[in-house]
Amino acid sequence: MKNIFLSILSLCSLSVLGQSDNITTQLYDTYENYKESSIGKRRIKRTDIQPLIDKLSANSKFKVSTVGKSIGGKDLSLISIGTGETNVFLWSQMHGDEPTATQAIFDILNFFDSADFEKEKEAILANLTVHFLPMLNPDGAELYQRRNLLGIDINRDALRLQSPESQTLKRVRDSLNADFGFNLHDQSTYYNAERTEKPATISYLAPAYNYEKDINETRGNAMKIIVFMNDILQKYAPGQVGRYNDDFEPRAFGDNIQKWGTSTILIESGGFAEDVEKQEIRKLNYTSILSAIYTIAQKSYEAIGIEEYEKIPQNDRKLFDLKIVNASYELMGNTYSIDLGIHQVEVDYPDHNSFWYSSRILDQGDLSTYYGYETLDATGYTIKQAKVYPKNLTNFDEVKALNFKDVLKKGYGYVRVSSIPLKNINSPFPVHILSPKFIIPILNLAPGINPTFFLEKAGIIEYAVINGFLVDLKKQDIHVPNGMIFR
Ligand SMILES: [Zn+2]
């Protein structure tokens, strides 16, 4: 009996989702027409979105108001559109280094400003008033850091409200008494959908409003919207959706906003293979959030069964950027088989506009329960220490003239240079640069070290790992974003 009941419910959900399927496909396919091209990388600042906000202020379709200021004195702006009774409130980037949804918000605003999708937009704007508060933590964005200038996590300040950013979020939520809230974040790219190699490209949570994790109508509606959005993402990123643990966090905004009566949907943008600047994920945000807004306007989410929510796989954190499996490693006269898990760690340049890599071995040993964005089966390969190029070079011009593929094939991962430009923080070459006095330690694989070594089979070096990036020396082109400088 229970089974029949469930299958009727899921049929119900399917037909609801089917109705919106068409519009979703169109939104995805026409995305480039609305993408806000002035903000195309993750390190965006308040000054980057100011011209966009100015443009919206001068546009009668939108109502723009300054609703607060950050500790550093930067404006917090609320942009509203629509005349409907149901209020939908979206806020992004309360953590300064989580910008993906901020970009998607400006894409969505471009969509609303366009003359296309007239029928759908009419349905949305007659039934809903949609409010956007992009970049809630502009001081954190300036420094590309999670916390605000007080050094606190705004998402643990929902009760004490010490930060002006937190006070603004609470005040706006209360003044709108929003029916739906979208709490927009980024998560680590190392999250995966539990027990799969798939990254959690998007993770969801309908936050609990009490320790008992009860489900009332407010939270249930958030779950329904999540089921709806998950179904959309399965089409464009199959298996790449995770569900956050719903333990109650009394200090967090999502949990409290749910408690205050706004159906709250937490969206976390994670990782996607070969999408360093998360622009594909931004597109998935755009498509799924806009579709969700449409389904809220149509009230078609109401028929969705919340039991589907529990079926979304849990988030896990089992990904490496590079996983090397079964390499042979010689230590004190014996040979061992070892897996290596490598993170390609981003380090900001002082202006926080761009970054370089300083990679690390994160773990080693039996990593068979982990996954990699890139995995190399190194069975039969022996790990070899990278050597220093035999000739000392004078300057970067001489380094530039090297044939790097040849250099790497001979097992040289380091080049000694007598005059290293002071302005260079990292090596612009696919090899590391050493100052005249720097001595390379004997390779001793351990978590925390910079992963630089070669993989040799039958006396031939076939792969280099330079600063955590795998270089296949059998291929024509080699690429390493940057080496390191050891002064
Ligand atoms: Zn966050």
Side-chain angles (χ1 to χ4, degrees):
M1 187 62 202
K2 193 179 167 218
N3 281 345
I4 295 167
F5 180 61
L6 278 178
S7 57
I8 290 168
L9 270 179
S10 31
L11 277 176
C12 241
S13 317
L14 283 176
S15 72
V16 169
L17 298 166
Q19 281 168 24
S20 309
D21 201 36
N22 204 16
I23 167 90
T24 296
T25 309
Q26 288 173 42
L27 288 172
Y28 185 86
D29 291 344
T30 59
Y31 170 69
E32 292 301 324
N33 300 343
Y34 312 101
K35 181 176 181 176
E36 179 47 57
S37 57
S38 68
I39 41 176
K41 59 183 176 68
R42 285 171 296 151
R43 283 157 181 79
I44 51 171
K45 303 182 194 305
R46 188 61 180 70
T47 49
D48 296 319
I49 64 168
Q50 189 58 48
L52 306 175
I53 291 171
D54 290 343
K55 217 167 68 191
L56 293 163
S57 303
N59 183 335
S60 61
K61 283 182 199 163
F62 301 94
K63 184 172 165 262
V64 180
S65 43
T66 304
V67 286
K69 282 193 186 297
S70 68
I71 292 176
K74 295 185 171 63
D75 284 350
L76 305 175
S77 302
L78 187 72
I79 304 145
S80 305
I81 185 166
T83 54
E85 273 185 10
T86 301
N87 283 290
V88 179
F89 177 31
L90 306 91
W91 61 95
S92 73
Q93 215 171 342
M94 71 162 66
H95 297 134
D97 56 354
E98 301 179 3
T100 306
T102 299
Q103 299 175 7
I105 282 177
F106 285 100
D107 303 336
I108 292 171
L109 289 165
N110 283 345
F111 166 87
F112 278 117
D113 191 31
S114 75
D116 317 327
F117 291 93
E118 207 175 338
K119 198 171 69 77
E120 289 81 6
K121 275 199 299 217
E122 255 177 47
I124 292 172
L125 299 176
N127 292 305
L128 311 179
T129 308
V130 190
H131 312 268
F132 302 88
L133 203 174
M135 200 182 277
L136 184 67
N137 180 4
D139 298 333
E142 191 72 25
L143 302 167
Y144 202 63
Q145 68 179 29
R146 177 181 181 85
R147 291 168 182 250
N148 68 0
L149 283 189
L150 185 59
I152 71 166
D153 181 342
I154 293 172
N155 208 22
R156 296 292 178 269
D157 196 32
L159 299 181
R160 292 211 181 158
L161 297 171
Q162 283 303 293
S163 290
E165 301 90 352
S166 313
Q167 293 159 15
T168 301
L169 180 56
K170 169 89 164 77
R171 195 175 56 246
V172 172
R173 201 299 319 172
D174 290 351
S175 72
L176 302 174
N177 197 17
D179 300 280
F180 287 88
F182 288 81
N183 184 11
L184 305 172
H185 293 252
D186 282 79
Q187 66 184 354
S188 165
T189 55
Y190 302 124
Y191 283 110
N192 61 308
E194 195 176 34
R195 285 194 294 277
T196 79
E197 61 181 0
K198 306 261 184 161
T201 299
I202 298 279
S203 293
Y204 291 114
L205 175 67
Y209 58 89
N210 60 12
Y211 282 109
E212 292 72 27
K213 306 182 187 184
D214 290 335
I215 302 171
N216 59 4
E217 194 187 343
T218 303
R219 188 173 178 218
N221 282 343
M223 289 174 165
K224 291 176 180 187
I225 299 295
I226 288 172
V227 170
F228 174 82
M229 296 176 90
N230 173 53
D231 194 72
I232 290 170
L233 289 174
Q234 292 306 328
K235 182 172 172 187
Y236 299 109
Q240 294 177 214
V241 177
R243 178 168 51 96
Y244 254 94
N245 176 311
D246 68 347
D247 286 350
F248 179 57
E249 170 47 78
R251 303 167 300 163
F253 265 102
D255 305 52
N256 280 288
I257 290 179
Q258 195 89 274
K259 191 176 179 174
W260 299 331
T262 295
S263 293
T264 305
I265 297 131
L266 171 75
I267 303 181
E268 299 268 1
S269 294
F272 193 100
E274 293 173 26
D275 186 20
V276 174
E277 291 298 343
K278 299 174 88 156
Q279 297 300 292
E280 180 60 25
I281 309 178
R282 166 187 181 173
K283 182 178 177 179
L284 295 175
N285 268 265
Y286 167 88
T287 307
S288 57
I289 292 172
L290 208 38
S291 300
I293 290 173
Y294 185 59
T295 199
I296 292 170
Q298 304 278 73
K299 295 190 195 284
S300 47
Y301 67 88
E302 287 176 349
I304 294 174
I306 57 170
E307 72 283 349
E308 297 293 320
Y309 177 81
E310 301 285 338
K311 294 183 189 164
I312 301 172
Q314 294 264 15
N315 251 14
D316 202 355
R317 195 187 171 119
K318 289 273 195 299
L319 273 170
F320 299 115
D321 291 304
L322 173 62
K323 184 184 167 191
I324 295 177
V325 181
N326 259 333
S328 294
Y329 176 48
E330 290 162 356
L331 182 69
M332 299 163 82
N334 288 311
T335 302
Y336 302 87
S337 174
I338 196 166
D339 301 342
L340 297 173
I342 291 166
H343 279 185
Q344 295 154 350
V345 182
E346 292 181 6
V347 184
D348 274 24
Y349 288 113
D351 63 5
H352 301 286
N353 280 323
S354 53
F355 65 93
W356 53 290
Y357 289 101
S358 175
S359 301
R360 293 287 175 266
I361 293 179
L362 202 85
D363 201 358
Q364 62 190 48
D366 176 358
L367 301 180
S368 54
T369 56
Y370 285 77
Y371 311 95
Y373 278 96
E374 186 180 12
T375 300
L376 177 74
D377 180 357
T379 306
Y381 289 88
T382 301
I383 292 173
K384 291 284 174 189
Q385 166 133 23
K387 298 179 293 184
V388 182
Y389 189 67
K391 190 178 166 213
N392 289 7
L393 302 184
T394 311
N395 54 43
F396 272 16
D397 284 340
E398 287 184 18
V399 182
K400 205 173 168 182
L402 292 172
N403 179 333
F404 291 111
K405 204 163 131 181
D406 282 353
V407 169
L408 293 174
K409 273 181 161 174
K410 289 176 185 147
Y412 302 119
Y414 303 91
V415 175
R416 201 177 292 285
V417 179
S418 55
S419 174
I420 303 171
L422 270 178
K423 67 173 171 62
N424 283 80
I425 294 173
N426 55 268
S427 162
F429 310 110
V431 290
H432 298 300
I433 300 296
L434 302 181
S435 73
K437 56 180 189 298
F438 196 92
I439 306 296
I440 292 294
I442 302 284
L443 179 68
N444 184 11
L445 291 179
I449 71 159
N450 182 273
T452 293
F453 50 80
F454 289 91
L455 291 165
E456 186 188 270
K457 193 181 209 172
I460 295 167
I461 290 172
E462 291 189 17
Y463 294 96
V465 173
I466 303 291
N467 194 19
F469 287 85
L470 182 69
V471 184
D472 183 348
L473 296 168
K474 300 183 294 302
K475 283 192 176 160
Q476 195 60 34
D477 295 319
I478 60 165
H479 177 70
V480 174
N482 68 270
M484 310 263 282
I485 292 179
F486 299 96
R487 291 182 200 266

